[in-house]
Amino acid sequence: MNPYKNLNIYGRDTIEQYRGRELYERPPHLFAIADAAYKAMKRRSKDTCIVISGESGAGKTEASKYIMHYIAAITNPGQRAEVERVKNILLKSNCVLEAFGNAKTNRNDNSSRFGKYMDINFDFKGDPIGGHINNYLLEKSRVIVQQAGERSFHSFYQLLQGGSDQMLRSLHLQKDASAYKYICPGAQIKCSINDGAEFKAVADAMKVIGFKQEEIQTVYKIVAAILHLGNLKFSVDGDTPVIENSKVVSIIADLLSTKSDMVEKALLFRTVATGRDVIDKQHTEQEASYGRDAFAKAIYERLFAWIVTHINDVIEVKNYDTTVHGKNTVIGVLDIYGFEIFDNNSFEQFCINYCNEKLQQLFIQLVLKQEQEEYQREGIPWKHIDYFNNQVIVDLVEQQHKGIISILDDACMNVGKVTDEMFLEALNNKLGKHAHFSSRKLCATDKTLEFDRDFRIKHYAGDVIYSVTGFIDKNKDTLFQDFKRLMYNSSNPVLKMMWPEGKLSITEVTKRPLTAATLFKNSMIALVDNLASKEPYYVRCIKPNDKKSPQLFDEERCRHQVEYLGLLENVRVRRAGFAYRQTYEKFLHRYKMISEFTWPNHDLPSDTDAVKKLIECHGFQHDVAYGKTKIFIRTPRTLFTLEELHAKMLVRIVLFLQKVWRGTLARLRYKRTKAALTILKYYRRYKVKSYIREVARRFHNVRQMKDYGKHVPWPTPPKVLRRFEEALQTIYHRWRAGELIRSVPPEVLPQLRAKVAAMEVLKGHRADIGLQRAWEGNYIALKSDNPQTTGSFIPVANELKRKDKYMNVLFSCHVRKVNRFNKVEDRAIFITDRHLYKMDPMKQYKVMKTIPLYNLIGLSVSNGKDQLVVFHTKDNKDLIVCLFSKEPSNDSRIGELVGVLASHFKSEKRALQVSITNPVQCSLHGRKCTVSVETKTNQSQPDFTKHRSGFILCVPGN
């Protein structure tokens, strides 16, 4: 029931209360119907429809919007972007269609002046994936004339009130609606619609739907052109019709993207083809006005149809393959004009009320007639319930050759001048004896009817008096071909698209078009057939009063609506009848899993016996009846209990199927993995064997090679053998090194070890290590190095051997040393495997200082070619010397000294710290100092000089 005010019963909380609930669980509500239709569609993959009916102003349009919002709210839990886009467009389309198709009437501030049936397509998951809108009979006469107290379509007032000043200037409009003849009667009428705010909402909605900016601009250019058309004034200059305000013509031509002279010609002349000749026939003033009005109506109707088509193109389901995506199911929502009785009822009201008769007939057929007939056919005990069948009224309107529409079409096809009065006379002659038809001629005493003007039809909702004035013209729906050609030749592609028949040549003969009434009748028959193919759900809207007041409840008015809608009979049939019926086969197919006797397959004689067994298992036998081919369930509670059991069992079945499938997948995965591992194992074995065979082939004769296979390239190993290759190469290198060492004479081995030790310590730090020459070690004992004093050194060395018990001489050499007193002197160092001796060559190699090797902790040398060496001791009494040789004078012995000491310390498993830096850090009796090396070209011998931070060793430049 329309409360004529907003109630807080359609919010998010209410949606959650009805989501997924069964019909009987919550109080009656629009959301309950919407949810039931959605569940039926999703559960049974069955197309459903929601038929919303009621008088004009009863709340049908609002009900359809709430149903759409509910469906949008409960779908797409996964928030898929494409589904959200479709939902948004479906919701926004209401706003656009209401602006261009709704108007204020005396009964309703937002009355639908067109019929709308919207199909919403759902995928197998139940998410909306598209839709389609069908529109029926736009009341286009409202464009040019409205009844007292009513307005034209909202779009005109929204443009004037909501359009920016710049936009209105570009359209040559002003905000005052009373300045325009077509809409001035409604300019001062109060309306609950906020035109300014709605204009912005419509513009935003059109952008969301996908209208381009230039298309939106064209829409409002057409609306503006219609307003300007209404202001054209025709007069006659002699015999020639003229347009008084020709400036308006150029404005119209500019808005419609055509030439002003072509617009003027189309308005004042009509091109007529007579055989091969083409002539321009002048209009009378009346004909010009008629043509102008017909043009305005036609433009608006084409605009509305184009908007609907554009929305359909955007939301149409594309590239949907049922084999891939599952079944595509539909919920249809019918929001169509309600039953209307105005002070002056014309052709539009006749069509609208015929539409409501057809929908009522569908309701009677499906709910009252077919249901009772089905009970009798199935052998269910049933007491017949009487109802009024309005088929007789439907036949009165649509019957072939006898109905009002047929008579009207015949009148329109007659040659010569046919008037509305002649049409009424034909009605009187053919329908005079019909119980639901009357006129003043048939009932002369009825003064509510005018002679030669009115006729009455007794509709299911009440008696309606129609005025035949305009019936012929509106049914012919004549529009001169000149206007169609004018629009087709427009430079605006949108306008050109709206008028495809404008491309026909003047002389081309075309088939007579169907009349408006026949087109409407055909669309209504197709609509009813479409609804009948779906499972219907009904929303009946009741109007509590005729004053749009939230405080009044007119009991008599409501009782009348309940009676003519057949709600009482519906309740009686529903109470006495059964809520659900289904064939035994389909019932068993859906519910067989809830009984052990029927799952997975029964062994009973027939499906009927299996269904009975299933029902008895759950104790529902007192709430069902068994027909010949169907089972009938009386109360919804039983059906919903079956659904709950089905849903619970479905979870277990799904889990079982998942378990079996996952097990199958796991076994397949295991087999594939095992096979892959087996292949991998054999492949690896093959690769390893291939690699080892190749290594063996390349190195099989390595012992006979001169370099023991150093030049042989190694084959590239597989990844798995990278570490193995490293280990194999290490083994090979150790073997090769062993072979090389075994070929070296034993007496040379100590020198070789010393050179290796020197290389490990000094390589990369000093350029000349002295590896290429023979290392003599005891240089002082050599005559070549020390020809004069060799004889005096050997006895001293032998005495030290006897006294200190050393085994081997490691190194001996003449040096230049500097002490803590800055005194520079020539000395000799003699290193054995036990001590380091400092000797004075001038005093028969007298031992000046003895340093046990265990007291030696490290050496420091520079990174140049000099012979500086510092011996570091535990007691911080470092020995700073520079080696020099007499023969050859430039022989580098630092590498040999470092090597023999490092090798000796390594053999004794002691650490010897060797530091290679410049300057060299040292400590003289605890005092820290540095020794840096400088090269001088005029220097003949290395020499130490004092520096503030220590000493400088000056060495020859060559």
Side-chain angles (χ1 to χ4, degrees):
M1 184 170 289
N2 189 348
Y4 288 113
K5 65 179 180 181
N6 289 322
L7 298 177
N8 188 25
I9 57 171
Y10 299 106
R12 169 59 65 177
D13 294 342
T14 312
I15 289 172
E16 291 304 320
Q17 288 176 23
Y18 283 88
R19 182 204 290 263
R21 298 285 186 172
E22 303 299 348
L23 268 172
Y24 70 90
E25 291 186 71
R26 288 279 182 269
H29 197 285
L30 276 175
F31 292 166
I33 294 292
D35 199 76
Y38 179 72
K39 280 205 296 285
M41 179 274 299
K42 195 173 178 182
R43 281 176 180 170
R44 304 198 291 275
S45 294
K46 190 170 179 64
D47 291 345
T48 61
C49 64
I50 301 173
V51 180
I52 307 169
S53 59
E55 290 188 15
S56 179
K60 297 183 299 301
T61 299
E62 289 303 309
S64 74
K65 287 195 281 189
Y66 285 130
I67 287 169
M68 292 287 294
H69 276 287
Y70 180 80
I71 291 171
I74 65 170
T75 53
N76 195 29
Q79 294 295 306
R80 286 191 291 159
E82 176 59 19
V83 175
E84 284 300 306
R85 183 189 74 85
V86 169
K87 280 164 48 174
N88 211 11
I89 292 171
L90 289 170
L91 294 175
K92 294 290 184 184
S93 66
N94 282 325
C95 174
V96 177
L97 294 176
E98 282 183 23
F100 292 90
N102 287 25
K104 174 187 166 48
T105 66
N106 290 316
R107 291 183 160 220
N108 182 2
D109 280 5
N110 189 33
S111 177
S112 297
R113 308 318 301 160
F114 71 104
K116 181 180 74 174
Y117 174 73
M118 179 185 286
D119 267 335
I120 309 169
N121 297 82
F122 295 83
D123 62 12
F124 74 99
K125 295 194 293 296
D127 289 333
I129 53 171
H132 186 84
I133 298 169
N134 287 327
N135 63 299
Y136 301 97
L137 190 70
L138 179 73
E139 188 192 24
K140 59 184 177 180
S141 63
R142 186 170 290 272
V143 172
I144 62 168
V145 64
Q146 304 92 42
Q147 295 193 34
E150 297 190 352
R151 298 202 315 177
S152 187
F153 293 103
H154 297 322
S155 55
F156 295 106
Y157 306 96
Q158 288 176 5
L159 173 60
L160 297 180
Q161 295 303 312
S164 65
D165 292 340
Q166 181 185 351
M167 184 180 189
L168 292 178
R169 274 197 302 274
S170 69
L171 300 173
H172 308 282
L173 295 175
Q174 52 183 298
K175 282 190 177 290
D176 184 10
S178 60
Y180 302 99
K181 181 188 170 188
Y182 279 162
I183 63 170
C184 65
Q188 307 304 323
I189 295 171
K190 287 185 179 179
C191 181
S192 59
I193 305 289
N194 184 336
D195 294 317
E198 285 298 315
F199 177 81
K200 187 176 185 306
V202 171
D204 292 341
M206 290 176 88
K207 287 176 187 171
V208 169
I209 290 167
F211 286 86
K212 297 173 186 171
Q213 190 57 44
E214 55 268 26
E215 291 175 333
I216 297 173
Q217 193 66 29
T218 299
V219 167
Y220 287 113
K221 279 184 178 180
I222 293 171
V223 173
I226 292 169
L227 292 176
H228 289 300
L229 274 170
N231 284 0
L232 288 174
K233 293 177 183 175
F234 298 100
S235 62
V236 179
D237 183 9
D239 291 333
T240 307
V242 293
I243 298 171
E244 293 180 10
N245 45 353
S246 57
K247 186 182 176 184
V248 178
V249 176
S250 59
I251 292 172
I252 293 168
D254 176 53
L255 293 172
L256 299 179
S257 303
T258 187
K259 295 175 183 176
S260 56
D261 57 334
M262 292 173 67
V263 174
E264 188 169 348
K265 184 183 176 187
L267 288 165
L268 297 178
F269 296 89
R270 179 183 175 192
T271 305
V272 180
T274 57
R276 294 182 180 178
D277 298 327
V278 177
I279 59 170
D280 291 331
K281 179 177 177 293
Q282 286 186 359
H283 285 317
T284 63
E285 185 180 345
Q286 184 181 359
E287 286 172 340
S289 295
Y290 173 83
R292 181 266 318 268
D293 291 345
F295 184 39
K297 290 188 291 183
I299 292 176
Y300 197 81
E301 184 184 38
R302 298 287 176 110
L303 170 64
F304 187 76
W306 176 80
I307 290 171
V308 173
T309 303
H310 195 293
I311 295 170
N312 283 337
D313 289 342
V314 175
I315 60 174
E316 185 182 10
V317 180
K318 301 175 184 71
N319 303 322
Y320 194 92
D321 184 354
T322 52
T323 57
V324 176
H325 304 109
K327 189 182 176 188
N328 173 349
T329 44
V330 168
I331 292 181
V333 180
L334 178 67
D335 167 27
I336 207 157
Y337 15 57
F339 190 85
E340 291 184 345
I341 308 175
F342 291 155
D343 293 336
N344 178 29
N345 300 292
S346 186
F347 178 76
E348 289 83 8
Q349 281 66 49
F350 172 74
C351 291
I352 287 168
N353 294 340
Y354 160 63
C355 165
N356 280 270
E357 289 285 358
K358 286 291 286 184
L359 293 176
Q360 179 67 7
Q361 175 58 28
L362 175 71
F363 171 72
I364 290 167
Q365 282 287 335
L366 295 179
V367 178
L368 303 177
K369 185 171 181 283
Q370 285 184 11
E371 186 153 342
Q372 295 194 78
E373 287 174 355
E374 184 176 36
Y375 295 145
Q376 292 169 0
R377 190 169 57 248
E378 288 286 327
I380 304 294
W382 181 257
K383 184 180 178 182
H384 185 75
I385 293 169
D386 292 325
Y387 58 90
F388 169 67
N389 190 340
N390 73 331
Q391 183 64 48
V392 63
I393 304 173
V394 173
D395 290 341
L396 169 66
V397 175
E398 72 175 20
Q399 194 173 14
Q400 287 282 13
H401 310 302
K402 296 179 182 178
I404 294 173
I405 290 176
S406 255
I407 297 167
L408 179 59
D409 284 353
D410 289 342
C412 292
M413 289 178 191
N414 285 340
V415 179
K417 181 71 174 174
V418 181
T419 63
D420 295 318
E421 291 77 13
M422 292 166 69
F423 161 59
L424 181 57
E425 185 63 29
L427 289 179
N428 290 332
N429 292 337
K430 292 189 178 183
L431 302 174
K433 295 180 181 179
H434 200 288
H436 292 269
F437 177 86
S438 63
S439 69
R440 186 67 184 271
K441 183 178 180 181
L442 300 174
C443 189
T445 57
D446 189 349
K447 295 184 179 180
T448 58
L449 300 169
E450 285 284 335
F451 276 111
D452 297 332
R453 191 192 76 181
D454 297 342
F455 68 91
R456 181 190 290 119
I457 296 177
K458 291 184 178 180
H459 286 285
Y460 77 99
D463 295 358
V464 182
I465 298 171
Y466 296 101
S467 168
V468 294
T469 307
F471 261 64
I472 296 289
D473 279 343
K474 289 176 182 177
N475 190 43
K476 283 183 177 179
D477 199 17
T478 306
L479 179 68
F480 300 137
Q481 190 72 20
D482 303 70
F483 291 114
K484 297 177 184 178
R485 279 194 291 275
L486 176 71
M487 290 292 92
Y488 180 76
N489 292 316
S490 168
S491 60
N492 187 319
V494 177
L495 272 165
K496 189 181 182 77
M497 190 194 309
M498 290 181 194
W499 300 83
E501 67 271 47
K503 67 182 177 183
L504 296 174
S505 69
I506 298 167
T507 56
E508 192 169 340
V509 178
T510 56
K511 192 177 177 182
R512 184 193 293 269
L514 294 175
T515 61
T518 299
L519 285 170
F520 185 69
K521 180 186 78 171
N522 293 343
S523 67
M524 283 299 104
I525 291 170
L527 171 65
V528 169
D529 288 344
N530 186 10
L531 295 175
S533 70
K534 296 176 170 59
E535 184 173 313
Y537 290 80
Y538 293 94
V539 176
R540 300 298 207 177
C541 297
I542 303 291
K543 193 173 181 181
N545 60 77
D546 288 323
K547 297 182 179 178
K548 305 177 192 172
S549 168
Q551 308 297 329
L552 290 176
F553 181 80
D554 187 335
E555 189 173 336
E556 186 57 40
R557 184 87 175 74
C558 293
R559 183 184 291 113
H560 175 64
Q561 291 174 74
V562 168
E563 283 175 2
Y564 77 65
L565 286 172
L567 298 186
L568 294 174
E569 293 89 341
N570 183 27
V571 170
R572 290 194 193 106
V573 170
R574 288 297 187 202
R575 276 185 176 172
F578 297 85
Y580 175 81
R581 77 286 323 269
Q582 188 58 271
T583 61
Y584 292 117
E585 182 186 0
K586 288 185 178 178
F587 183 87
L588 196 61
H589 181 71
R590 180 161 185 82
Y591 298 112
K592 64 180 179 178
M593 72 276 295
I594 67 174
S595 170
E596 61 183 10
F597 297 103
T598 54
W599 178 258
N601 293 301
H602 67 85
D603 55 0
L604 295 163
S606 67
D607 286 347
T608 307
D609 295 325
V611 169
K612 287 180 180 177
K613 189 71 175 175
L614 187 151
I615 292 293
E616 288 166 5
C617 282
H618 294 282
F620 297 141
Q621 59 269 26
H622 302 298
D623 198 40
V624 301
Y626 301 105
K628 295 172 182 174
T629 61
K630 293 180 180 179
I631 178 174
F632 292 81
I633 298 176
R634 189 176 298 280
T635 61
R637 187 176 294 275
T638 298
L639 176 64
F640 299 144
T641 305
L642 287 169
E643 279 295 331
E644 285 174 4
L645 292 169
H646 171 267
K648 287 178 184 175
M649 190 56 68
L650 208 59
V651 173
R652 292 175 61 183
I653 291 170
V654 168
L655 286 174
F656 174 75
L657 291 173
Q658 284 179 338
K659 180 186 78 171
V660 172
W661 179 239
R662 283 173 179 162
T664 303
L665 288 178
R667 281 187 288 274
L668 286 171
R669 201 177 300 120
Y670 168 75
K671 287 177 180 176
R672 281 198 296 268
T673 306
K674 187 178 178 183
L677 288 173
T678 303
I679 293 167
L680 199 61
K681 182 176 77 173
Y682 281 98
Y683 180 71
R684 279 179 176 171
R685 188 180 296 175
Y686 159 75
K687 294 294 282 185
V688 168
K689 284 182 177 179
S690 299
Y691 174 73
I692 291 172
R693 283 196 197 100
E694 183 61 21
V695 171
R697 186 187 68 78
R698 293 189 185 192
F699 289 90
H700 81 283
N701 201 27
V702 75
R703 289 181 186 276
Q704 281 71 45
M705 294 179 189
K706 200 170 185 179
D707 61 353
Y708 295 106
K710 183 181 178 182
H711 71 284
V712 176
W714 285 77
T716 304
K719 282 185 180 180
V720 71
L721 291 181
R722 290 277 167 82
R723 292 178 66 184
F724 173 74
E725 184 205 32
E726 291 171 7
L728 196 61
Q729 287 185 356
T730 303
I731 293 168
Y732 163 72
H733 291 315
R734 288 174 70 91
W735 170 82
R736 183 171 172 273
E739 290 298 311
L740 290 170
I741 290 169
R742 270 195 289 276
S743 65
V744 175
E747 61 272 16
V748 181
L749 278 176
Q751 187 180 137
L752 187 63
R753 288 195 181 95
K755 285 186 177 182
V756 171
M759 190 172 69
E760 287 175 351
V761 174
L762 299 178
K763 189 176 182 182
H765 300 290
R766 278 185 72 99
D768 185 15
I769 304 175
L771 298 175
Q772 305 303 320
R773 64 177 180 80
W775 287 1
E776 301 295 341
N778 193 357
Y779 288 99
I780 300 176
L782 296 176
K783 286 186 179 181
S784 60
D785 195 71
N786 192 19
Q788 290 87 16
T789 56
T790 301
S792 59
F793 170 71
I794 292 173
V796 174
N798 290 335
E799 179 60 24
L800 287 173
K801 184 175 184 180
R802 184 189 64 76
K803 179 184 171 186
D804 291 336
K805 304 283 191 297
Y806 71 79
M807 299 294 292
N808 297 310
V809 176
L810 300 182
F811 186 80
S812 68
C813 181
H814 289 95
V815 299
R816 183 158 287 165
K817 71 101 182 179
V818 63
N819 63 15
R820 57 186 171 134
F821 305 112
N822 308 323
K823 194 172 180 181
V824 180
E825 292 174 317
D826 286 341
R827 292 286 185 265
I829 58 169
F830 178 52
I831 304 173
T832 68
D833 54 6
R834 300 192 67 181
H835 295 89
L836 184 156
Y837 302 98
K838 183 178 73 173
M839 299 176 172
D840 187 352
M842 297 296 116
K843 295 181 180 179
Q844 301 294 315
Y845 291 96
K846 180 183 175 183
V847 176
M848 306 298 292
K849 185 176 182 180
T850 303
I851 302 172
L853 283 190
Y854 62 76
N855 206 28
L856 187 68
I857 59 172
L859 299 174
S860 287
V861 297
S862 76
N863 54 7
K865 291 185 177 182
D866 56 90
Q867 301 296 298
L868 174 67
V869 60
V870 178
F871 296 91
H872 301 290
T873 60
K874 290 180 182 178
D875 54 6
N876 291 326
K877 295 177 181 179
D878 293 351
L879 178 61
I880 305 169
V881 298
C882 177
L883 310 181
F884 67 88
S885 59
K886 293 181 180 179
E887 193 64 39
S889 60
N890 61 347
D891 200 6
S892 175
R893 294 176 183 171
I894 288 292
E896 184 176 355
L897 172 60
V898 172
V900 294
L901 279 174
S903 178
H904 175 71
F905 271 67
K906 190 175 181 181
S907 67
E908 292 195 347
K909 297 181 180 176
R910 288 165 53 200
L912 178 70
Q913 189 70 36
V914 179
S915 184
I916 303 104
T917 58
N918 185 22
V920 174
Q921 305 291 327
C922 59
S923 176
L924 294 176
H925 285 266
R927 183 171 66 85
K928 300 288 183 184
C929 63
T930 61
V931 182
S932 56
V933 180
E934 289 184 3
T935 304
K936 291 189 177 180
T937 53
N938 57 352
Q939 186 88 12
S940 61
Q941 292 287 335
D943 198 9
F944 289 99
T945 58
K946 181 72 180 79
H947 188 261
R948 65 174 180 269
S949 61
F951 304 98
I952 296 174
L953 173 62
C954 300
V955 297
N958 55 353

